Amino acid sequence: MTNPAPILELRGVNKSFGAVHVLRGVDFNAYPGQVSALVGDNGAGKSTLIKGVAGIHSFDSGEYLFEGSPANVHAPRQANALGIEVVYQDLALCDNLDVVHNMFLGREEKQGVILDEITMERRAKETLAGLSVRTLKSVRQQVSSLSGGQRQTVAIARAVLWNSKLVILDEPTAALGVAQTEQVLKLVRRLADNGLAVILISHNMNDVFEVADNIACLYLGMMAAQVHTKDVTHGQVVELITSGRSGDIGLQPEILANGAVA
Amino acid sequence: MSATQVTDVDIPEAGDTGGLGKALRDYFIRVKGGEVGSLPAVAGLIVLIALFSILQGGTFFTALNFANLINQGTAVIVLAMGLVFVLLLGEIDLSAGFAAGTAAAVLAVGLTKYGLPWPLALIACLLTGLVIGLIIGLLVARLGIPSFVVTLAAFLGLQGVMLLIIGEGGTIGIQNDFLLAIMNRNMPVWTGWLLWLLVILGYAFVTFRAIRARKAAGLSGSSASVWAAKVVSLAILLGVGVYLLNGERQIVRAGKQSCVIMGPPNEPVGCIPILQGVPWAVLVVLLLLVGLTFLLSRTSFGRHVYAVGGNTEAARRAGIKVSSIKITCFMICSTLAAVAGVLLASRDNSVSPTTGGAQTLLFAVGAAVIGGTSLFGGRGRVVDAIVGGLVVAVIANGLPLITSQSGIQYVVTGGVLLVAASVDALSRRRSSASGR
């Protein structure tokens, strides 16, 4: 399987918080039409990497290429302008607003100063229909009345509403039951099938193997490997997560030794 | 992705065009799910009016008393409208009462001591409110002091500022005819009916256009029968109000006219020949209601206010400038407090150190909450302030007609506020539990 040109390419990015060197020369690619899983133990640097991509904080050094050209991303708005959307684990939805209001929050459609509810409702419905979402009773329902899976659906639909090219999902199934997890994973797969690049952060290996095209394993702030899903087994990925190395793939022993010291 | 690839949408609709019965069923489901809105307040209002009418026999349910009620309630209602904005954020403004007093003091001093023409004095008064709100907003949003503490400090501080502005004299009389007319004069009978007609037509037109636009766009909306029912019930409700206010309000007892003094103090005390018509203050409340409702429900500013109140972090991540929303809301609140101050000054024909003091603020907070505005933020409407304000006014007006003990009035008002807060808390729990 050959990869298309990556839409997002990170080369040797570093990030430190004070004395703590969180990301050490990380390379990472995300491809259009593919789900790239980002896995790693707690504290491996997944969140830091994602926050850097989303512009919440900027990398100290290294290259950030978007669609092949260097991008300057130092604020969430700049990332949004490129077509990067993040769905956070805590969803960031307003319970007291309905589905349409939430999807357009902060970017409302207007006619003059008046909110254009009709256009917003139509676009929201089109987006949900484009994702084959059939679980919502009405787009005018308040979010407080939705289940966890439905909320996740709304959050993801919001992310794809903006002609986005890269959607980052932070543990989208962490709080869901079996049936709802299945629903959300199907949705994640459809995003990629619609041509978007998807980055999926997950701790759940079953989820990763079900939807991901490639898997990137972070180990102590270093990229152990980014491999095709079909080239590795469950056990190998777990080994990469826990020790940074599995057979011939992963970090070189001497790097691992240095890493452990620092 | 291409969102245009699917034109046929197969999401079933909750609010499909199904006539009145369906609309009522949907409403019932919403109420059960915790979205009670101002339903308890409306129910309470009806119960209270019925109760006072029976217990008091005669005096309560009269045209004169209805006008009194409006006269007593207007300032509290306007104050509560401002508080709705702050409460929507999940914040509180304890200083609104004395902001009203301070602004009124500026108005009075401007008119008398500096001899300003009334429009200038009015502008100075409203600016006073604006500046007070700006300072409170900056302290809350930028410095991060809890609004409870900031406005508690402002509550004490403004009380002093007000005394300093008014000076040792104590009370400053207001002689300006225009300002006095707001609370003391009534519209001619025909103006009242014209206003009624305009409101009904305006409401019918706006809602009809919205329904038609949704139909044209292929979206579901409420049906024509629901629309007609709403328009007709609004017309009847307001029609009864206008009819009552347009009746002759002077009390005629056993052939002897007992006189009601409604004029400014310099007018000779005596019988006013005709006392009928909708008070001009109603127009002020109406304009504020329309303007502020538009702001909250039809503009992105309003949407962002709800978002900040519902989930501040989500609003921030959506790119909403949370602190400017907060500052603006505090400014709206204090500016409306200044308007309330003008109304208080107009009603009392003067400004004194007690203007806006005593229970004014607490009644206003009570009015907003009783009307259905949540203390937890994110839920409430401007019209809540009116419904809640009427409940508070009915209690304040009706109880003294039954009992002479003023203690009972406080106890009852406090009790009603507690009931309203409980309904708020319960409905909040209900709506978070009704995950469908």
PDB file of all heavy atoms in Angstrom, chain B residues 18-46:
ATOM      1  N   GLY B  18     -47.861  19.258  12.561  1.00  0.00           N
ATOM      2  CA  GLY B  18     -48.885  18.321  12.987  1.00  0.00           C
ATOM      3  C   GLY B  18     -50.034  18.975  13.720  1.00  0.00           C
ATOM      4  O   GLY B  18     -50.773  18.328  14.429  1.00  0.00           O
ATOM      5  N   GLY B  19     -50.144  20.294  13.588  1.00  0.00           N
ATOM      6  CA  GLY B  19     -51.285  20.968  14.195  1.00  0.00           C
ATOM      7  C   GLY B  19     -51.126  21.204  15.686  1.00  0.00           C
ATOM      8  O   GLY B  19     -50.087  20.936  16.271  1.00  0.00           O
ATOM      9  N   LEU B  20     -52.205  21.680  16.270  1.00  0.00           N
ATOM     10  CA  LEU B  20     -52.186  22.117  17.664  1.00  0.00           C
ATOM     11  C   LEU B  20     -51.901  20.986  18.640  1.00  0.00           C
ATOM     12  O   LEU B  20     -51.089  21.135  19.543  1.00  0.00           O
ATOM     13  CB  LEU B  20     -53.544  22.735  18.006  1.00  0.00           C
ATOM     14  CG  LEU B  20     -53.633  24.252  17.918  1.00  0.00           C
ATOM     15  CD1 LEU B  20     -55.035  24.705  18.261  1.00  0.00           C
ATOM     16  CD2 LEU B  20     -52.626  24.876  18.853  1.00  0.00           C
ATOM     17  N   GLY B  21     -52.601  19.872  18.423  1.00  0.00           N
ATOM     18  CA  GLY B  21     -52.471  18.754  19.354  1.00  0.00           C
ATOM     19  C   GLY B  21     -51.030  18.304  19.478  1.00  0.00           C
ATOM     20  O   GLY B  21     -50.509  18.123  20.569  1.00  0.00           O
ATOM     21  N   LYS B  22     -50.375  18.200  18.338  1.00  0.00           N
ATOM     22  CA  LYS B  22     -48.972  17.769  18.315  1.00  0.00           C
ATOM     23  C   LYS B  22     -48.096  18.796  19.026  1.00  0.00           C
ATOM     24  O   LYS B  22     -47.202  18.442  19.792  1.00  0.00           O
ATOM     25  CB  LYS B  22     -48.547  17.604  16.857  1.00  0.00           C
ATOM     26  CG  LYS B  22     -47.088  17.312  16.644  1.00  0.00           C
ATOM     27  CD  LYS B  22     -46.907  15.876  16.137  1.00  0.00           C
ATOM     28  CE  LYS B  22     -45.444  15.619  15.813  1.00  0.00           C
ATOM     29  NZ  LYS B  22     -44.613  15.592  17.005  1.00  0.00           N
ATOM     30  N   ALA B  23     -48.374  20.081  18.765  1.00  0.00           N
ATOM     31  CA  ALA B  23     -47.584  21.139  19.388  1.00  0.00           C
ATOM     32  C   ALA B  23     -47.713  21.074  20.900  1.00  0.00           C
ATOM     33  O   ALA B  23     -46.727  21.204  21.623  1.00  0.00           O
ATOM     34  CB  ALA B  23     -48.045  22.501  18.876  1.00  0.00           C
ATOM     35  N   LEU B  24     -48.953  20.840  21.370  1.00  0.00           N
ATOM     36  CA  LEU B  24     -49.175  20.746  22.816  1.00  0.00           C
ATOM     37  C   LEU B  24     -48.442  19.544  23.392  1.00  0.00           C
ATOM     38  O   LEU B  24     -47.826  19.637  24.445  1.00  0.00           O
ATOM     39  CB  LEU B  24     -50.671  20.636  23.101  1.00  0.00           C
ATOM     40  CG  LEU B  24     -51.437  21.960  23.032  1.00  0.00           C
ATOM     41  CD1 LEU B  24     -52.932  21.719  23.207  1.00  0.00           C
ATOM     42  CD2 LEU B  24     -50.927  22.938  24.080  1.00  0.00           C
ATOM     43  N   ARG B  25     -48.499  18.411  22.668  1.00  0.00           N
ATOM     44  CA  ARG B  25     -47.809  17.209  23.152  1.00  0.00           C
ATOM     45  C   ARG B  25     -46.310  17.444  23.244  1.00  0.00           C
ATOM     46  O   ARG B  25     -45.675  17.096  24.235  1.00  0.00           O
ATOM     47  CB  ARG B  25     -48.101  16.030  22.218  1.00  0.00           C
ATOM     48  CG  ARG B  25     -49.330  15.219  22.607  1.00  0.00           C
ATOM     49  CD  ARG B  25     -49.318  13.834  21.969  1.00  0.00           C
ATOM     50  NE  ARG B  25     -49.128  13.850  20.537  1.00  0.00           N
ATOM     51  CZ  ARG B  25     -50.091  14.113  19.657  1.00  0.00           C
ATOM     52  NH1 ARG B  25     -51.304  14.388  20.072  1.00  0.00           N
ATOM     53  NH2 ARG B  25     -49.840  14.111  18.366  1.00  0.00           N
ATOM     54  N   ASP B  26     -45.755  18.087  22.193  1.00  0.00           N
ATOM     55  CA  ASP B  26     -44.315  18.379  22.197  1.00  0.00           C
ATOM     56  C   ASP B  26     -43.949  19.263  23.372  1.00  0.00           C
ATOM     57  O   ASP B  26     -42.934  19.075  24.027  1.00  0.00           O
ATOM     58  CB  ASP B  26     -43.910  19.070  20.888  1.00  0.00           C
ATOM     59  CG  ASP B  26     -43.862  18.087  19.736  1.00  0.00           C
ATOM     60  OD1 ASP B  26     -43.890  16.875  20.022  1.00  0.00           O
ATOM     61  OD2 ASP B  26     -43.810  18.525  18.575  1.00  0.00           O
ATOM     62  N   TYR B  27     -44.818  20.261  23.621  1.00  0.00           N
ATOM     63  CA  TYR B  27     -44.556  21.189  24.723  1.00  0.00           C
ATOM     64  C   TYR B  27     -44.549  20.428  26.038  1.00  0.00           C
ATOM     65  O   TYR B  27     -43.683  20.627  26.884  1.00  0.00           O
ATOM     66  CB  TYR B  27     -45.620  22.286  24.735  1.00  0.00           C
ATOM     67  CG  TYR B  27     -45.410  23.294  25.833  1.00  0.00           C
ATOM     68  CD1 TYR B  27     -44.330  24.184  25.775  1.00  0.00           C
ATOM     69  CD2 TYR B  27     -46.255  23.363  26.932  1.00  0.00           C
ATOM     70  CE1 TYR B  27     -44.116  25.094  26.779  1.00  0.00           C
ATOM     71  CE2 TYR B  27     -46.030  24.271  27.933  1.00  0.00           C
ATOM     72  CZ  TYR B  27     -44.974  25.141  27.861  1.00  0.00           C
ATOM     73  OH  TYR B  27     -44.747  26.034  28.855  1.00  0.00           O
ATOM     74  N   PHE B  28     -45.524  19.524  26.198  1.00  0.00           N
ATOM     75  CA  PHE B  28     -45.633  18.750  27.416  1.00  0.00           C
ATOM     76  C   PHE B  28     -44.381  17.910  27.623  1.00  0.00           C
ATOM     77  O   PHE B  28     -43.849  17.827  28.727  1.00  0.00           O
ATOM     78  CB  PHE B  28     -46.878  17.856  27.332  1.00  0.00           C
ATOM     79  CG  PHE B  28     -47.147  17.104  28.593  1.00  0.00           C
ATOM     80  CD1 PHE B  28     -47.498  17.787  29.749  1.00  0.00           C
ATOM     81  CD2 PHE B  28     -47.042  15.724  28.634  1.00  0.00           C
ATOM     82  CE1 PHE B  28     -47.734  17.092  30.926  1.00  0.00           C
ATOM     83  CE2 PHE B  28     -47.280  15.033  29.803  1.00  0.00           C
ATOM     84  CZ  PHE B  28     -47.629  15.713  30.956  1.00  0.00           C
ATOM     85  N   ILE B  29     -43.880  17.317  26.530  1.00  0.00           N
ATOM     86  CA  ILE B  29     -42.668  16.498  26.620  1.00  0.00           C
ATOM     87  C   ILE B  29     -41.474  17.357  27.048  1.00  0.00           C
ATOM     88  O   ILE B  29     -40.675  16.976  27.888  1.00  0.00           O
ATOM     89  CB  ILE B  29     -42.378  15.815  25.258  1.00  0.00           C
ATOM     90  CG1 ILE B  29     -43.437  14.735  24.988  1.00  0.00           C
ATOM     91  CG2 ILE B  29     -40.984  15.211  25.230  1.00  0.00           C
ATOM     92  CD1 ILE B  29     -43.397  14.177  23.598  1.00  0.00           C
ATOM     93  N   ARG B  30     -41.412  18.557  26.472  1.00  0.00           N
ATOM     94  CA  ARG B  30     -40.304  19.456  26.826  1.00  0.00           C
ATOM     95  C   ARG B  30     -40.356  19.824  28.298  1.00  0.00           C
ATOM     96  O   ARG B  30     -39.344  19.834  28.989  1.00  0.00           O
ATOM     97  CB  ARG B  30     -40.357  20.724  25.974  1.00  0.00           C
ATOM     98  CG  ARG B  30     -39.795  20.569  24.594  1.00  0.00           C
ATOM     99  CD  ARG B  30     -39.116  21.848  24.116  1.00  0.00           C
ATOM    100  NE  ARG B  30     -39.957  23.021  24.240  1.00  0.00           N
ATOM    101  CZ  ARG B  30     -40.906  23.351  23.362  1.00  0.00           C
ATOM    102  NH1 ARG B  30     -41.127  22.594  22.323  1.00  0.00           N
ATOM    103  NH2 ARG B  30     -41.616  24.437  23.537  1.00  0.00           N
ATOM    104  N   VAL B  31     -41.566  20.132  28.788  1.00  0.00           N
ATOM    105  CA  VAL B  31     -41.706  20.508  30.199  1.00  0.00           C
ATOM    106  C   VAL B  31     -41.287  19.352  31.084  1.00  0.00           C
ATOM    107  O   VAL B  31     -40.562  19.520  32.068  1.00  0.00           O
ATOM    108  CB  VAL B  31     -43.162  20.932  30.500  1.00  0.00           C
ATOM    109  CG1 VAL B  31     -43.387  21.069  31.996  1.00  0.00           C
ATOM    110  CG2 VAL B  31     -43.473  22.250  29.798  1.00  0.00           C
ATOM    111  N   LYS B  32     -41.710  18.140  30.703  1.00  0.00           N
ATOM    112  CA  LYS B  32     -41.346  16.973  31.500  1.00  0.00           C
ATOM    113  C   LYS B  32     -39.842  16.764  31.496  1.00  0.00           C
ATOM    114  O   LYS B  32     -39.257  16.279  32.450  1.00  0.00           O
ATOM    115  CB  LYS B  32     -42.043  15.723  30.944  1.00  0.00           C
ATOM    116  CG  LYS B  32     -43.218  15.300  31.799  1.00  0.00           C
ATOM    117  CD  LYS B  32     -43.975  14.153  31.199  1.00  0.00           C
ATOM    118  CE  LYS B  32     -43.211  12.846  31.158  1.00  0.00           C
ATOM    119  NZ  LYS B  32     -43.999  11.764  30.583  1.00  0.00           N
ATOM    120  N   GLY B  33     -39.210  17.151  30.383  1.00  0.00           N
ATOM    121  CA  GLY B  33     -37.764  16.990  30.269  1.00  0.00           C
ATOM    122  C   GLY B  33     -36.985  18.077  30.990  1.00  0.00           C
ATOM    123  O   GLY B  33     -35.772  18.112  30.937  1.00  0.00           O
ATOM    124  N   GLY B  34     -37.679  19.002  31.632  1.00  0.00           N
ATOM    125  CA  GLY B  34     -36.988  20.003  32.431  1.00  0.00           C
ATOM    126  C   GLY B  34     -36.969  21.388  31.842  1.00  0.00           C
ATOM    127  O   GLY B  34     -36.517  22.328  32.471  1.00  0.00           O
ATOM    128  N   GLU B  35     -37.462  21.546  30.601  1.00  0.00           N
ATOM    129  CA  GLU B  35     -37.470  22.893  30.015  1.00  0.00           C
ATOM    130  C   GLU B  35     -38.771  23.597  30.389  1.00  0.00           C
ATOM    131  O   GLU B  35     -39.654  23.777  29.573  1.00  0.00           O
ATOM    132  CB  GLU B  35     -37.354  22.800  28.482  1.00  0.00           C
ATOM    133  CG  GLU B  35     -36.035  22.256  28.003  1.00  0.00           C
ATOM    134  CD  GLU B  35     -36.043  22.034  26.501  1.00  0.00           C
ATOM    135  OE1 GLU B  35     -36.422  22.950  25.756  1.00  0.00           O
ATOM    136  OE2 GLU B  35     -35.684  20.936  26.072  1.00  0.00           O
ATOM    137  N   VAL B  36     -38.861  24.003  31.660  1.00  0.00           N
ATOM    138  CA  VAL B  36     -40.136  24.537  32.118  1.00  0.00           C
ATOM    139  C   VAL B  36     -40.347  25.989  31.715  1.00  0.00           C
ATOM    140  O   VAL B  36     -41.469  26.453  31.630  1.00  0.00           O
ATOM    141  CB  VAL B  36     -40.295  24.392  33.641  1.00  0.00           C
ATOM    142  CG1 VAL B  36     -40.498  22.954  34.005  1.00  0.00           C
ATOM    143  CG2 VAL B  36     -39.101  24.969  34.361  1.00  0.00           C
ATOM    144  N   GLY B  37     -39.251  26.713  31.446  1.00  0.00           N
ATOM    145  CA  GLY B  37     -39.390  28.111  31.039  1.00  0.00           C
ATOM    146  C   GLY B  37     -40.121  28.937  32.077  1.00  0.00           C
ATOM    147  O   GLY B  37     -39.901  28.800  33.278  1.00  0.00           O
ATOM    148  N   SER B  38     -41.064  29.779  31.625  1.00  0.00           N
ATOM    149  CA  SER B  38     -41.756  30.635  32.572  1.00  0.00           C
ATOM    150  C   SER B  38     -43.112  30.052  32.958  1.00  0.00           C
ATOM    151  O   SER B  38     -43.958  30.735  33.505  1.00  0.00           O
ATOM    152  CB  SER B  38     -41.911  32.039  31.995  1.00  0.00           C
ATOM    153  OG  SER B  38     -42.461  31.969  30.714  1.00  0.00           O
ATOM    154  N   LEU B  39     -43.314  28.768  32.681  1.00  0.00           N
ATOM    155  CA  LEU B  39     -44.589  28.130  32.999  1.00  0.00           C
ATOM    156  C   LEU B  39     -44.962  28.239  34.482  1.00  0.00           C
ATOM    157  O   LEU B  39     -46.077  28.642  34.810  1.00  0.00           O
ATOM    158  CB  LEU B  39     -44.565  26.664  32.554  1.00  0.00           C
ATOM    159  CG  LEU B  39     -45.847  25.879  32.809  1.00  0.00           C
ATOM    160  CD1 LEU B  39     -46.961  26.383  31.903  1.00  0.00           C
ATOM    161  CD2 LEU B  39     -45.627  24.392  32.576  1.00  0.00           C
ATOM    162  N   PRO B  40     -44.029  27.912  35.417  1.00  0.00           N
ATOM    163  CA  PRO B  40     -44.393  28.012  36.829  1.00  0.00           C
ATOM    164  C   PRO B  40     -44.771  29.443  37.205  1.00  0.00           C
ATOM    165  O   PRO B  40     -45.688  29.647  38.002  1.00  0.00           O
ATOM    166  CB  PRO B  40     -43.119  27.588  37.571  1.00  0.00           C
ATOM    167  CG  PRO B  40     -42.308  26.878  36.573  1.00  0.00           C
ATOM    168  CD  PRO B  40     -42.653  27.447  35.242  1.00  0.00           C
ATOM    169  N   ALA B  41     -44.077  30.426  36.621  1.00  0.00           N
ATOM    170  CA  ALA B  41     -44.355  31.816  36.955  1.00  0.00           C
ATOM    171  C   ALA B  41     -45.737  32.227  36.460  1.00  0.00           C
ATOM    172  O   ALA B  41     -46.491  32.891  37.175  1.00  0.00           O
ATOM    173  CB  ALA B  41     -43.291  32.725  36.354  1.00  0.00           C
ATOM    174  N   VAL B  42     -46.081  31.813  35.245  1.00  0.00           N
ATOM    175  CA  VAL B  42     -47.393  32.149  34.698  1.00  0.00           C
ATOM    176  C   VAL B  42     -48.478  31.494  35.546  1.00  0.00           C
ATOM    177  O   VAL B  42     -49.472  32.129  35.921  1.00  0.00           O
ATOM    178  CB  VAL B  42     -47.500  31.697  33.226  1.00  0.00           C
ATOM    179  CG1 VAL B  42     -48.924  31.884  32.720  1.00  0.00           C
ATOM    180  CG2 VAL B  42     -46.538  32.484  32.361  1.00  0.00           C
ATOM    181  N   ALA B  43     -48.259  30.205  35.895  1.00  0.00           N
ATOM    182  CA  ALA B  43     -49.217  29.504  36.747  1.00  0.00           C
ATOM    183  C   ALA B  43     -49.343  30.216  38.085  1.00  0.00           C
ATOM    184  O   ALA B  43     -50.449  30.455  38.581  1.00  0.00           O
ATOM    185  CB  ALA B  43     -48.775  28.057  36.937  1.00  0.00           C
ATOM    186  N   GLY B  44     -48.185  30.581  38.652  1.00  0.00           N
ATOM    187  CA  GLY B  44     -48.179  31.274  39.935  1.00  0.00           C
ATOM    188  C   GLY B  44     -48.925  32.587  39.866  1.00  0.00           C
ATOM    189  O   GLY B  44     -49.678  32.948  40.784  1.00  0.00           O
ATOM    190  N   LEU B  45     -48.728  33.293  38.765  1.00  0.00           N
ATOM    191  CA  LEU B  45     -49.373  34.591  38.580  1.00  0.00           C
ATOM    192  C   LEU B  45     -50.894  34.435  38.587  1.00  0.00           C
ATOM    193  O   LEU B  45     -51.613  35.163  39.268  1.00  0.00           O
ATOM    194  CB  LEU B  45     -48.911  35.203  37.256  1.00  0.00           C
ATOM    195  CG  LEU B  45     -49.212  36.683  37.021  1.00  0.00           C
ATOM    196  CD1 LEU B  45     -48.593  37.529  38.102  1.00  0.00           C
ATOM    197  CD2 LEU B  45     -48.699  37.106  35.651  1.00  0.00           C
ATOM    198  N   ILE B  46     -51.355  33.419  37.847  1.00  0.00           N
ATOM    199  CA  ILE B  46     -52.804  33.188  37.772  1.00  0.00           C
ATOM    200  C   ILE B  46     -53.354  32.821  39.151  1.00  0.00           C
ATOM    201  O   ILE B  46     -54.368  33.359  39.610  1.00  0.00           O
ATOM    202  CB  ILE B  46     -53.118  32.072  36.744  1.00  0.00           C
ATOM    203  CG1 ILE B  46     -52.752  32.582  35.342  1.00  0.00           C
ATOM    204  CG2 ILE B  46     -54.587  31.663  36.803  1.00  0.00           C
ATOM    205  CD1 ILE B  46     -52.737  31.514  34.281  1.00  0.00           C
TER     206      ILE B  46
END
